[in-house]
Amino acid sequence: RYGLEKIKTIGDAYMAASGIPTPRPDHVRAVAEMALAMLDVASSHRDGLGLRIGIDTGPVVAGVIGRRKFIYDLWGDTVNTASRMESHGVPGRIQVTERVVAALADGYVLERRGTVEIKGKGRMQVYRLQGRIEAPGPKATTAT
């Protein structure tokens, strides 16, 4: 639905990316929309699934590896940082980096979480993606 590329599942983690293999200008928005939709579905589950979602944006190295069984995979600091956003996040929330905030500044509600000690990265300013800003509808008028 969002045009993302499923990369792999690792245990209970699901890794997806946008803008690969074909670049697209709205790659961060596509990931944000999928993340919001995932939380919406999880929150309606009767057992209250508590998804943790982490997002970062930036350069990656992508390629196919393997000799007998081939897999498409991604590597790089962006992948590691997105993983850390998830693992250091809070269930039921989407934790994002400052680079994501810069890309989503218009149209989304982003809340500063504060600085968090991120394994392998040190202290990082992180944010929570809360939702999208709804476009204002037509103004109601009354006739007298």
Side-chain angles (χ1 to χ4, degrees):
R1 176 184 298 176
Y2 301 98
L4 275 63
E5 184 75 27
K6 176 196 176 235
I7 305 302
K8 61 185 168 184
T9 54
I10 310 158
D12 64 352
Y14 181 88
M15 181 175 160
S18 183
I20 58 157
T22 305
R24 57 187 281 192
D26 67 339
H27 64 277
V28 181
R29 289 179 186 274
V31 171
E33 289 298 324
M34 181 175 161
L36 291 167
M38 289 172 68
L39 279 190
D40 189 45
V41 169
S43 70
S44 68
H45 194 274
R46 67 182 171 93
D47 291 332
L49 295 175
L51 297 182
R52 284 188 322 233
I53 300 173
I55 304 173
D56 190 19
T57 183
V60 297
V61 175
V64 177
I65 59 171
R67 289 188 177 188
R68 291 183 201 94
K69 184 176 180 183
F70 301 104
I71 64 164
Y72 183 70
D73 206 353
L74 301 179
W75 302 271
D77 188 58
T78 302
V79 175
N80 294 337
T81 303
S83 175
R84 296 293 188 251
M85 289 298 102
E86 180 274 326
S87 65
H88 289 76
V90 176
R93 302 294 181 124
I94 304 165
Q95 186 161 275
V96 303
T97 63
E98 288 184 296
R99 295 190 297 192
V100 172
V101 170
L104 294 180
D106 296 333
Y108 290 86
V109 178
L110 294 141
E111 171 188 81
R112 182 187 296 250
R113 180 175 176 205
T115 56
V116 175
E117 185 69 29
I118 303 294
K119 181 181 174 185
K121 306 289 291 174
R123 295 193 63 73
M124 287 182 69
Q125 179 64 54
V126 298
Y127 298 79
R128 290 185 179 140
L129 171 60
Q130 303 284 78
R132 69 192 65 72
I133 297 172
E134 300 299 326
K139 294 187 178 175
T141 58
T142 56
T144 55

